[in-house]
């Protein structure tokens, strides 16, 4: 079957472009180490209260002005509900839920996470300005959703 000249040119151009794309993808994936993130952490939702570190939620010191907040979002509350840190501190949040989907939005920051049962959500933020930062659930989680609040006090 004879193809028109321009159709041959487009087929060859498309084939060459596809080969270049696959070669670049291979170089980026294997030689340069660019891969999709596959570091999703999971936890059994019915074991959240018994599995470390979520069995003892709290704010833990990692280094000077660096903290790790292990949190649970459940039944219209954040655990811990209030944390106090000095200004300029960095917090590494680790949050999970044993019951339903929740959100965790900290007003005045770019912290905005979806907390899905069975998954551990992580986010790091540095609180440079002193103040009271309100933690809100921004995913409707039930009849007490509007009561689900927390607070970070930055001194």
């Amino acid at each position: 079957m004879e193809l028109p000249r321009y159709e041959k040119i487009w087929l060859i151009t498309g084939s060459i472009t596809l080969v270049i794309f696959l070669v670049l993808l291979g170089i980026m994936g294997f030689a340069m180490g660019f891969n999709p993130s596959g570091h999703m952490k999971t936890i059994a939702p019915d074991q959240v209260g018994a599995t470390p570190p979520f069995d003892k939620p709290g704010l833990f010191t990692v280094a000077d002005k660096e903290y790790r907040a292990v949190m649970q979002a459940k039944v219209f509350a954040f655990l811990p509900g209030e944390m106090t840190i000095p200004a300029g501190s960095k917090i590494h949040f680790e949050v999970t839920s044993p019951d339903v989907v929740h959100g965790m939005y900290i007003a005045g920051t770019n912290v905005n996470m979806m907390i899905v049962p069975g998954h551990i959500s992580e986010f790091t933020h540095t609180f440079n300005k002193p103040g009271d930062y309100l933690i809100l659930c921004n995913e409707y989680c039930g009849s007490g959703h509007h009561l689900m609040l927390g607070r970070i006090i930055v001194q």
Side-chain angles (χ1 to χ4, degrees):
M1 180 173 139
E2 185 68 28
L3 293 173
R5 181 174 181 243
Y6 291 115
E7 193 165 335
K8 286 181 186 175
I9 292 171
W10 280 112
L11 283 174
I12 291 170
T13 303
S15 298
I16 290 171
T17 303
L18 180 62
V19 169
I20 290 171
F21 172 75
L22 292 174
V23 168
L24 288 175
L25 193 64
I27 290 170
M28 291 174 66
F30 295 110
M32 299 173 73
F34 293 138
N35 293 304
S37 60
H39 54 75
M40 181 173 53
K41 296 179 182 176
T42 59
I43 186 170
D46 58 339
Q47 296 296 315
V48 167
T51 305
F54 296 101
D55 58 337
K56 295 176 184 168
L59 184 67
F60 305 97
T61 303
V62 174
D64 185 40
K65 290 194 171 188
E66 187 172 350
Y67 299 90
R68 177 176 168 226
V70 177
M71 300 179 70
Q72 287 186 37
K74 65 177 191 178
V75 193
F76 317 127
F78 291 102
L79 297 177
E82 186 174 306
M83 297 178 276
T84 302
I85 58 170
S89 295
K90 180 187 291 186
I91 297 182
H92 305 280
F93 293 96
E94 291 180 32
V95 189
T96 192
S97 170
D99 48 26
V100 298
V101 174
H102 295 278
M104 185 173 139
Y105 172 69
I106 301 176
T109 70
N110 64 346
V111 179
N112 189 4
M113 301 187 296
M114 180 178 274
I115 315 302
V116 178
H119 291 85
I120 299 170
S121 299
E122 297 177 310
F123 198 88
T124 298
H125 183 74
T126 302
F127 292 87
N128 291 316
K129 295 180 182 175
D132 282 355
Y133 292 86
L134 188 62
I135 304 172
L136 301 167
C137 177
N138 58 2
E139 294 286 336
Y140 182 75
C141 55
S143 60
H145 166 73
H146 62 286
L147 302 171
M148 191 166 175
L149 304 170
R151 191 172 158 204
I152 297 175
I153 301 165
V154 180
Q155 299 174 333

